[in-house]
Amino acid sequence: MRKTYPPFLLGIIFFFLILTISLFLLSFNTSFYKKEFSRYHVYEQFTEPQTKIDQEFSYVLSYLQGKTTTLETPFFNEKEKIHLNDVKELYTFARIILYISLFLFLLLSFFLFKNKQPLLFFQGITYGSIFLLLFFFILFIFVLVNFEKTFTLFHKLLFTNDLWMLNPETDNLIKMLPLEIFQDLAKRIIIFSVLAALFFGYGSIYFKKKLLLKG
């Protein structure tokens, strides 16, 4: 029992570490959004020039990343700004999880290698990779079957208000970010995380076999 506990714990930590890394790497990719804006004809929804839309969205990304403390622009109304603040708090929480996961991962990894238990380390990576594959397989099914319903459920679970229910007639944020962009972003996060899980999972199995052969 004692030997299964550290790998299982490391697997959970590894799961959250890869999940949050994927989220931050892909959520703030400016070039991705510019391509999506062109693909889904977002620029045509506004009377302002394309450069203005890109600039306003760069303000949003900077705000969500915590680079700016306020969103001082008349382009978004008060309802949108409150919702963006709610989203920013979620990203702040995710960032805390990332830092804690990284710290615990390094600490537990150091402990296992210091105590000459590399097999337990690689077993933990294997567990974490399996957790990631199972989680994202289920998520991918939901995304494929009915992304809109999944997206709505996601918002109901994470937000305590209904300010996320924006009106494309009055709210620039929803015109800027239609549902299809979130769907594409979700797919990118799933693909990236699955590839990372496969890479680290295969690597952990490979090194475990080498260690067992040496032992």
Side-chain angles (χ1 to χ4, degrees):
M1 182 68 178
R2 290 176 63 186
K3 285 191 176 182
T4 59
Y5 176 71
F8 186 79
L9 179 60
L10 184 65
I12 294 174
I13 294 169
F14 181 74
F15 169 85
F16 283 107
L17 182 60
I18 296 298
L19 183 65
T20 50
I21 287 174
S22 302
L23 178 67
F24 283 102
L25 275 180
L26 300 174
S27 294
F28 300 113
N29 188 324
T30 305
S31 61
F32 162 74
Y33 290 106
K34 286 185 178 180
K35 290 177 183 176
E36 293 288 288
F37 288 172
S38 297
R39 179 181 180 183
Y40 295 111
H41 309 289
V42 168
Y43 296 116
E44 286 86 334
Q45 305 300 314
F46 300 92
T47 56
E48 294 87 350
Q50 179 176 328
T51 52
K52 172 67 173 177
I53 304 305
D54 288 338
Q55 183 183 52
E56 292 295 339
F57 190 68
S58 70
Y59 294 155
V60 172
L61 291 182
S62 295
Y63 178 69
L64 295 180
Q65 288 177 286
K67 294 180 179 179
T68 56
T69 55
T70 57
L71 193 60
E72 298 294 340
T73 171
F75 190 76
F76 302 106
N77 59 42
E78 194 62 28
K79 176 185 177 182
E80 293 169 296
K81 289 179 180 178
I82 294 174
H83 175 59
L84 285 170
N85 182 67
D86 292 339
V87 175
K88 182 180 181 181
E89 289 180 358
L90 288 178
Y91 273 111
T92 301
F93 180 68
R95 191 175 292 108
I96 292 171
I97 293 177
L98 171 61
Y99 293 153
I100 292 175
S101 299
L102 180 60
F103 172 76
L104 293 177
F105 179 80
L106 294 174
L107 184 66
L108 189 51
S109 300
F110 174 78
F111 171 80
L112 291 175
F113 278 99
K114 185 181 179 182
N115 287 274
K116 298 180 180 180
Q117 295 178 314
L119 276 174
L120 296 185
F121 169 80
F122 291 118
Q123 185 61 48
I125 300 300
T126 303
Y127 284 157
S129 299
I130 292 171
F131 297 156
L132 283 166
L133 290 173
L134 288 174
F135 174 79
F136 282 106
F137 174 75
I138 295 170
L139 182 61
F140 187 65
I141 295 299
F142 278 101
V143 169
L144 283 182
V145 173
N146 194 326
F147 180 76
E148 186 172 358
K149 187 174 289 186
T150 303
F151 188 73
T152 301
L153 178 62
F154 169 83
H155 281 74
K156 286 183 177 179
L157 290 173
L158 293 180
F159 297 104
T160 57
N161 54 55
D162 61 356
L163 296 178
W164 56 272
M165 300 177 68
L166 301 175
N167 184 350
E169 297 297 324
T170 58
D171 303 321
N172 284 332
L173 189 60
I174 191 64
K175 289 196 290 184
M176 189 178 279
L177 293 169
L179 189 66
E180 291 82 3
I181 293 181
F182 287 106
Q183 188 170 17
D184 289 347
L185 178 61
K187 289 178 181 177
R188 283 167 61 89
I189 291 174
I190 291 171
I191 292 171
F192 179 90
S193 300
V194 167
L195 289 176
L198 291 173
F199 175 80
F200 286 108
Y202 174 80
S204 64
I205 293 171
Y206 172 79
F207 285 111
K208 274 194 302 179
K209 286 182 178 179
K210 288 196 71 172
L211 288 170
L212 289 171
L213 287 172
K214 284 183 180 180

